[in-house]
Amino acid sequence: MKKILLIICIAVLAQQLSAQVERGNMLIKGGTVLTVTKGTLEGTDVLVTNGKIAQVGKNLTAPAGYKVIDAQGMFVMPGIIDAHSHAGLDAINEGTSPVTAEVNTGDALNPFQVNLYRALGGGVTTIHAMHGSANAIGGQCETIKLRFGVKDPELLRMEGAPRTIKFALGENPTRVHGGGGIVPRTRMGVEFVIRQAFSQAKEYMAAWDTYNKQKIQKGFRGAPPAYNMRLETLADVLRGNIIVHCHSYRADELQMMLKVCKDFGVKRIVFQHVNEGFKVAPELAAYGAMASVFSDWWAYKLEVYYSTAYNAAILTKNGVTTSINSDDAELMRHLYHEAAKTQKYGDLNDDEALSLITINPARQLGIEDRVGSIETGKEADIAIFSKHPLSIYAIPMITVVDGIVRFDRSKDPDDMRIFVDPRQSVETTTLRETRNAHEQCMEGADYMFVKMFGLNLNEQ
Amino acid sequence: MKRFYRSRICLKFMVMLALGWPALLQAQQFQQQPQEEKELSPVSRTYAITNATVFQGPGRKLDRATVVMKDGLITAVGKGVAIPPEAIIIKGDSLYIYAGFIDGLSRAGVSKPKEEANRERPKDPGNPTPELAGITPQNDVRTFLNPSDKSADDLRALGFTAAQVVPYGNMLPGSGAIIQLTGKTSDAMVLAGKSALFSELTGAPRVYPSTILAVMSKWRELYRQAVQNKNYETMYAANRAGLSRPASDRILEAFYPVIDKRIPVLFEADKYLETQRVMTLQSELGFSLVLGDVKEGWDAIARIKSSGAKVFLSLDLPEDKKEEKSKDKKEEAGTLTPAEKEALEKRKAEFLALYTGQAATFQKAGVTFGFSSLSAKTSDIRTNLRRMIKAGLTEDQALAALTTSPAQLLGLSDRLGTVDNGKIASLVLSDKPYFHEKARVRYVFVDGIMYKYDVKETPKADAGAKAEITGTWSVTTETPQGKSEETVTFKKDGSNYSGSITGGRLAQAVSLEKVELNGNALRYSYTVQVGGQSFKVDVDATVDGSSYKGSATVGQYGSFPVEGKKDPNR
């Protein structure tokens, strides 16, 4: 086991050596700086050195060689973070099994997707590139920075970001897997699948702990437990090394999952979507569970009819760390609008509303000490808007990742493709994504909907 | 991109369906060489090619030299060497001799396993059998070799004499072998068995592992399990008393020689992102890596160099042709402006140049590489080599990539790759320097066996010749399973031709997409639909009065002889 860990460590180290992230120096002058955590500072400069915020203050001077951006009359905010996205991935669902904890979207990164650039055009700098919701326990997810322009997929990773994993409750896993002897077919089944997987992981962990203790004793001879990546990953969830991000809608399943977490000692959980979160906000807050929601998107299937646009505000006021996500390449480009809706529905103040798309998603991904606000020492992921980003008239002007300008409205060419397929005919070249924008969560698993509500659709 | 993994597998058997030869697969599989017992040996196994231009290796040219071969080995090369009296003499006055070419990754001579059409989705797609999951690393390509497979003949006709071949399959199809493109039995073809463990990042249709996500994690898991099992077996072998016996596991055992670095893992890594992902696996697990059929590697060169991977670049290139204006296609709303179109054309050309220049780029970066024919259309290979040369590869460098470099990469330098005394007698003889557009291969020697290519004076394509095709033609397509009869009708409207095809294995009449008659050179194409997939068939023929002869090419899946006869009554 130790050997395996060592191999992994060496591999990670080797990767970091091979991949060099580009970091820049710049001075952003005279803007209204929305720090999110430390108030709003007018006519303030932000100095960026080697990709990090070196100083926030007035009348700073740029050392030689620094890029200077004049932000007078503009608004400077931390780069937007989307806690639920499926952009930048070549595969989203390994929908063949109800439990696929071992898979990792970090293996399917595609830095050429033009969606990443379009997200930058909406001020987004970091996204949680998630596995889909076809399985009760889906795959591990990758937190990526939108360094659009890089070709090596390794350079998209937010190096050192905590590990996360996707779980899913309700209709998605039951309609993909249920029936024919395969659990889960019902919500009860979903709970069973998760409890069974955790129980097996617990046994696995115990077997390895015993073996590792015996192994160091002199003269010990014996077989190690069989290596199993699925259980190994789940054991890491139980050890608290992986944050659970759980697709969920209904209050009853939220309560169920909280109980499962409590029973197995899982402390770090973020509920995704959570349309009925407003019903159990105090319970979520008490457990320390977080919530990542849509502003006002619902009724696209039975389990999401009971919803309200006040959800984010109610959760926030009850002390739940809440974010607003997109789960969609189009919605991702105007998350600042989505955050602003909480001012109409729920009367959140500016900092509360901006937190929903900056520091709070950062907390949910465990990267709040690196990004999500404008503070000295943090990474220089910055979005510059023409007006206050919560105004409907705001236009994203410049987006900076690690001190490098990755989007500039004044230099925005028509063809941003990094990779061109010479087999594609020019006549059919389109900058539109052809895929269905909605329900990306289920992409790659749609062919498996042979059964829905107990009906075999193939026989209809 | 997303559906790539699934669709590629489908393609493999769809194409078989498209051509309607399910029985062909069976036939090939069981054609295990009934030996002809009374076959006569050649009069002599000694040959002398006299007075030829010999390229012993890249940059090593001999004029008016003689090459002597005896019993499958080269026994003398040079001027004024003694010609043994029993030698069959080939006058090489106008011939150019090269060492036989070596293909680094190919399926020449390998039969496709039988695919079950309409396979039902298993009850538990999360736990398929290893065969369904595409995990059969214990398989050996030698089991699937078929000495009479046409693909080996086609490749040999280009001058290839040896190839590293691999089995068909998905994630872990089995181990590869280095074969010579000759031999009466599968074993006789083999130069080296178990040359590499072959793998693709290809998911299994509808069962685990179906996506790149699961293929990557399954790969890691299998490898780590194999390491664990192997360590335990070692411990057990040292002192068995009191230890439970290790279970036998053919899948994991197939990894043992990889773990010991006795053989490398050979990956098909054509797309750029696949090349990267494969190197990620290698950097984590530490095996020796061979990247095969690389098509988009130019941005990964630095990482390839630091990974120490060996490289076989693809002989497939994107087509280089100006787009024809699609007249009949409806103009899309908001069609491109001329300026936009020009900008898009420019970017396309820029990337096309990267593909054709890949070999030269690798050469300049100092990476030793060979070639792979895996996904290349045989009929395009020589053109593509010329395109690479035009894009900056020198002829000597191209020759090295066909001979000395693959010999070195495959550990065969002591036997193959140059025309030197003591090496295996595998040669290619052309009537002009090989990379010349008009050069024709006249002889290929493989392991001392001579293959002679008569330059057939087939009715020459002649732009000036007059031919008339209007009317109905009975067309025979010769497929390995047997003949297929179709009816093709050509019509003439003004100066353009149109037409349709019916019969054979087509469910219904299909109109021809393109009919061109240039002098007596006839070209037409049509698309066959099978299971939602379409396969384009390109026919290229020469008309001679009331008949035509040529070939039908189905994508990269091969080409087959076609003959047409005009129906005099219609």
Side-chain angles (χ1 to χ4, degrees):
Chain A
M1 203 58 225
K2 267 190 189 146
K3 216 172 192 175
I4 291 165
L5 281 177
L6 196 74
I7 292 171
I8 296 170
C9 287
I10 291 171
V12 168
L13 207 73
Q15 262 172 25
Q16 282 175 350
L17 287 178
S18 76
Q20 280 299 326
V21 173
E22 195 187 352
R23 296 173 206 283
N25 301 316
M26 63 168 60
L27 179 65
I28 303 165
K29 275 197 81 71
T32 302
V33 179
L34 306 165
T35 67
V36 179
T37 48
K38 308 242 153 132
T40 299
L41 313 167
E42 286 183 13
T44 297
D45 305 339
V46 179
L47 183 72
V48 173
T49 301
N50 194 23
K52 288 201 170 162
I53 298 169
Q55 211 179 335
V56 181
K58 297 204 190 246
N59 304 319
L60 304 180
T61 45
Y66 276 50
K67 183 182 174 70
V68 177
I69 294 173
D70 182 6
Q72 279 189 59
M74 295 203 263
F75 288 76
V76 180
M77 72 171 284
I80 293 169
I81 300 170
D82 188 351
H84 191 134
S85 172
H86 302 289
L89 298 177
D90 271 348
I92 294 171
N93 273 299
E94 175 60 37
T96 50
S97 173
V99 181
T100 54
E102 69 283 6
V103 312
N104 195 326
T105 58
D107 285 329
L109 295 178
N110 182 344
F112 303 137
Q113 278 188 13
V114 78
N115 270 338
L116 302 178
Y117 178 70
R118 292 175 185 167
L120 281 165
V124 182
T125 53
T126 301
I127 68 172
H128 189 208
M130 299 183 83
H131 190 275
S133 53
N135 312 335
I137 299 182
Q140 297 164 73
C141 314
E142 193 70 32
T143 301
I144 64 174
K145 282 209 177 191
L146 302 187
R147 300 176 178 122
F148 186 79
V150 301
K151 290 169 183 166
D152 184 348
E154 300 297 329
L155 293 177
L156 278 188
R157 293 181 204 273
M158 181 169 182
E159 57 296 343
R163 295 166 70 192
T164 59
I165 189 167
K166 178 76 172 279
F167 280 42
L169 311 178
E171 287 173 19
N172 283 5
T174 53
R175 66 179 158 155
V176 171
H177 299 286
I182 305 292
V183 193
R185 189 172 200 162
T186 62
R187 287 170 192 277
M188 296 179 286
V190 174
E191 178 177 359
F192 168 76
V193 166
I194 296 172
R195 284 186 182 274
Q196 188 186 42
F198 276 158
S199 303
Q200 287 166 349
K202 231 169 133 176
E203 282 171 24
Y204 179 82
M205 199 160 61
W208 271 102
D209 287 347
T210 312
Y211 172 75
N212 285 333
K213 257 182 228 149
Q214 288 172 336
K215 207 175 61 177
I216 47 173
Q217 279 159 21
K218 225 182 162 185
F220 169 77
R221 300 174 74 239
Y227 177 72
N228 181 313
M229 239 169 104
R230 185 172 294 171
L231 296 178
E232 185 69 38
T233 309
L234 288 167
D236 272 338
V237 172
L238 297 180
R239 290 182 191 112
N241 296 337
I242 303 180
I243 307 170
V244 175
H245 281 254
C246 185
H247 164 107
S248 53
Y249 295 108
R250 283 180 19 180
D252 56 351
E253 68 191 12
L254 294 169
Q255 294 273 31
M256 175 277 282
M257 192 60 198
L258 283 180
K259 202 150 174 288
V260 171
C261 286
K262 202 174 160 202
D263 290 351
F264 286 92
V266 174
K267 292 195 182 71
R268 302 182 81 180
I269 179 155
V270 180
F271 287 103
Q272 292 284 343
H273 308 321
V274 214
N275 284 41
E276 292 187 15
F278 63 94
K279 295 184 181 175
V280 287
E283 288 84 349
L284 293 175
Y287 194 82
M290 305 188 201
S292 185
V293 304
F294 295 132
S295 61
D296 55 358
W297 188 9
W298 58 74
Y300 42 87
K301 57 185 152 180
L302 194 65
E303 62 185 351
V304 280
Y305 270 72
Y306 201 151
S307 300
T308 167
Y310 287 89
N311 200 21
I314 293 171
L315 286 161
T316 301
K317 294 296 182 196
N318 278 280
V320 179
T321 301
T322 304
S323 68
I324 287 186
N325 68 52
S326 76
D327 190 12
D328 174 82
E330 189 280 327
L331 203 55
M332 181 158 61
R333 292 167 217 157
H334 50 89
L335 278 169
Y336 49 102
H337 289 163
E338 300 304 298
K341 286 174 185 172
T342 60
Q343 301 199 304
K344 177 169 172 60
Y345 303 105
D347 220 7
L348 293 189
N349 66 34
D350 285 0
D351 278 346
E352 284 171 332
L354 287 175
S355 295
L356 296 172
I357 52 171
T358 54
I359 192 69
N360 284 359
R363 290 186 179 117
Q364 297 175 342
L365 300 175
I367 50 175
E368 71 274 16
D369 50 353
R370 292 172 58 184
V371 290
S373 62
I374 296 186
E375 290 177 64
T376 306
K378 281 205 170 178
E379 290 164 27
D381 294 0
I382 292 166
I384 303 174
F385 283 77
S386 62
K387 297 216 159 41
H388 194 290
L390 295 172
S391 156
I392 195 71
Y393 301 108
I395 297 169
M397 304 303 286
I398 290 174
T399 308
V400 173
V401 180
D402 302 312
I404 302 284
V405 174
R406 295 285 178 185
F407 166 77
D408 184 344
R409 196 177 151 80
S410 65
K411 292 173 208 150
D412 177 30
D414 291 341
D415 187 355
M416 280 303 294
R417 290 172 302 166
I418 303 170
F419 193 89
V420 177
D421 182 356
R423 286 175 179 86
Q424 189 188 15
S425 87
V426 159
E427 302 238 345
T428 61
T429 303
T430 167
L431 299 181
R432 263 172 283 133
E433 290 280 311
T434 47
R435 72 158 79 107
N436 184 2
H438 295 280
E439 285 283 285
Q440 261 206 320
C441 251
M442 297 296 279
E443 192 161 307
D446 40 356
Y447 70 94
M448 304 191 73
F449 294 169
V450 282
K451 288 204 178 67
M452 195 185 274
F453 309 127
L455 298 172
N456 191 331
L457 297 181
N458 283 348
E459 285 168 11
Q460 297 289 302
Chain B
M1 192 69 194
K2 201 147 304 158
R3 299 186 192 276
F4 177 70
Y5 296 95
R6 216 183 330 136
S7 67
R8 187 160 59 178
I9 309 147
C10 290
L11 264 180
K12 280 181 186 162
F13 75 84
M14 287 292 190
V15 79
M16 299 317 296
L17 288 173
L19 299 171
W21 307 317
L24 143 76
L25 304 166
Q26 249 168 328
Q28 283 189 347
Q29 210 166 19
F30 299 109
Q31 260 177 28
Q32 285 293 347
Q33 295 329 295
Q35 291 284 325
E36 282 187 42
E37 285 170 29
K38 285 182 186 166
E39 194 183 329
L40 296 173
S41 312
V43 177
S44 164
R45 289 201 66 204
T46 307
Y47 295 92
I49 309 158
T50 58
N51 223 11
T53 308
V54 182
F55 289 86
Q56 287 190 279
R60 292 169 57 209
K61 184 178 158 193
L62 290 178
D63 288 316
R64 303 182 151 271
T66 295
V67 178
V68 181
M69 293 170 275
K70 191 172 181 178
D71 295 333
L73 293 174
I74 298 170
T75 53
V77 185
K79 290 187 188 190
V81 298
I83 297 170
E86 74 275 23
I88 297 168
I89 294 174
I90 296 167
K91 287 188 177 159
D93 300 63
S94 59
L95 295 180
Y96 297 78
I97 304 182
Y98 304 83
F101 302 153
I102 304 164
D103 183 348
L105 171 57
S106 163
R107 286 198 178 96
V110 181
S111 347
K112 269 184 201 171
K114 197 178 148 195
E115 299 256 14
E116 291 163 51
N118 303 322
R119 199 157 57 189
E120 271 201 25
R121 189 180 174 216
K123 283 234 164 68
D124 184 0
N127 288 299
T129 60
E131 287 74 22
L132 275 186
I135 301 172
T136 54
Q138 72 276 22
N139 281 354
D140 188 324
V141 71
R142 288 176 290 187
T143 321
F144 312 112
L145 281 179
N146 177 0
S148 58
D149 196 279
K150 190 174 171 293
S151 56
D153 298 339
D154 290 349
L155 199 58
R156 188 176 53 232
L158 295 176
F160 285 88
T161 59
Q164 174 160 243
V165 292
V166 295
Y168 287 90
N170 295 325
M171 180 178 156
L172 284 158
S175 62
I178 298 163
I179 62 164
Q180 302 199 86
L181 299 177
T182 190
K184 292 197 171 63
T185 65
S186 16
D187 277 329
M189 300 172 84
V190 176
L191 201 56
K194 288 200 187 289
S195 57
L197 183 68
F198 179 62
S199 183
E200 295 177 12
L201 296 181
T202 307
R206 293 174 154 230
V207 298
Y208 190 93
S210 76
T211 61
I212 180 66
L213 298 169
V215 169
M216 291 287 281
S217 51
K218 191 71 195 171
W219 228 104
R220 295 184 179 99
E221 181 176 75
L222 286 171
Y223 194 90
R224 289 174 192 157
Q225 285 174 338
V227 170
Q228 190 188 43
N229 271 27
K230 189 168 171 291
N231 288 344
Y232 185 65
E233 278 182 25
T234 311
M235 187 211 258
Y236 183 73
N239 181 1
R240 295 185 176 87
L243 282 182
S244 53
R245 119 193 111 71
S248 165
D249 187 324
R250 282 173 295 164
I251 292 173
L252 298 184
E253 283 160 18
F255 282 89
Y256 291 2
V258 171
I259 295 165
D260 287 340
K261 297 205 173 169
R262 279 185 282 123
I263 64 170
V265 185
L266 166 61
F267 266 100
E268 185 205 1
D270 51 355
K271 301 270 181 199
Y272 166 77
L273 286 174
E274 292 194 353
T275 310
Q276 290 284 8
R277 286 169 190 153
V278 162
M279 286 193 287
T280 297
L281 283 181
Q282 188 232 8
S283 70
E284 288 175 22
L285 303 172
F287 49 80
S288 307
L289 174 63
V290 182
L291 296 165
D293 211 36
V294 175
K295 292 180 182 170
E296 303 169 352
W298 51 87
D299 281 323
I301 288 181
R303 194 172 176 195
I304 290 173
K305 277 176 121 174
S306 67
S307 75
K310 294 174 177 172
V311 183
F312 293 104
L313 301 180
S314 181
L315 284 168
D316 177 48
L317 290 178
E319 268 186 85
D320 180 13
K321 58 168 187 191
K322 279 273 168 238
E323 275 175 46
E324 300 144 31
K325 291 246 169 151
S326 47
K327 277 170 273 171
D328 35 276
K329 233 192 265 171
K330 265 182 278 168
E331 297 270 305
E332 275 182 56
T335 315
L336 305 167
T337 65
E340 283 171 337
K341 196 166 172 188
E342 194 191 333
L344 289 171
E345 290 280 11
K346 206 177 140 201
R347 290 218 69 201
K348 194 170 156 174
E350 181 192 310
F351 269 78
L352 190 63
L354 288 171
Y355 281 83
T356 45
Q358 173 173 255
T361 309
F362 272 73
Q363 184 76 41
K364 278 185 200 105
V367 180
T368 305
F369 62 90
F371 286 121
S372 157
S373 75
L374 192 72
S375 57
K377 235 199 269 186
T378 320
S379 56
D380 285 345
I381 288 177
R382 287 190 55 199
T383 316
N384 289 349
L385 282 167
R386 283 196 297 274
R387 287 170 68 191
M388 292 178 198
I389 289 168
K390 214 175 148 199
L393 197 67
T394 67
E395 292 195 6
D396 269 344
Q397 288 162 353
L399 181 62
L402 288 166
T403 56
T404 47
S405 298
Q408 180 202 328
L409 294 172
L410 296 171
L412 298 168
S413 293
D414 56 344
R415 282 162 280 175
L416 294 176
T418 61
V419 186
D420 278 310
N421 201 350
K423 292 228 168 151
I424 292 177
S426 289
L427 304 174
V428 49
L429 283 66
S430 54
D431 57 8
K432 288 202 166 50
Y434 184 80
F435 300 109
H436 190 281
E437 194 172 349
K438 294 208 168 121
R440 286 173 298 190
V441 171
R442 302 302 294 269
Y443 296 89
V444 174
F445 283 87
V446 190
D447 205 20
I449 313 267
M450 183 177 78
Y451 294 85
K452 189 173 179 200
Y453 296 93
D454 293 323
V455 178
K456 264 187 246 158
E457 290 309 325
T458 41
K460 256 192 214 159
D462 177 359
K466 284 253 189 262
E468 187 45 62
I469 54 167
T470 312
T472 304
W473 297 69
S474 305
V475 178
T476 314
T477 309
E478 220 166 295
T479 68
Q481 187 204 15
K483 286 180 180 175
S484 147
E485 309 273 349
E486 295 104 20
T487 306
V488 177
T489 312
F490 297 110
K491 279 184 203 144
K492 192 170 184 179
D493 324 300
S495 59
N496 294 325
Y497 287 95
S498 64
S500 65
I501 180 164
T502 182
R505 276 123 189 165
L506 290 158
Q508 58 201 42
V510 178
S511 42
L512 303 178
E513 277 145 36
K514 181 187 76 179
V515 183
E516 286 173 7
L517 183 67
N518 187 10
N520 61 356
L522 170 67
R523 297 179 80 164
Y524 60 89
S525 54
Y526 56 96
T527 302
V528 186
Q529 294 284 347
V530 177
Q533 297 276 349
S534 43
F535 299 94
K536 198 166 178 215
V537 183
D538 293 302
V539 179
D540 215 327
T542 309
V543 185
D544 184 14
S546 61
S547 68
Y548 65 75
K549 276 187 186 179
S551 62
T553 309
V554 188
Q556 65 195 52
Y557 303 96
S559 65
F560 311 99
V562 166
E563 270 189 64
K565 279 210 162 42
K566 199 166 184 179
D567 194 330
N569 304 321
R570 285 184 286 175

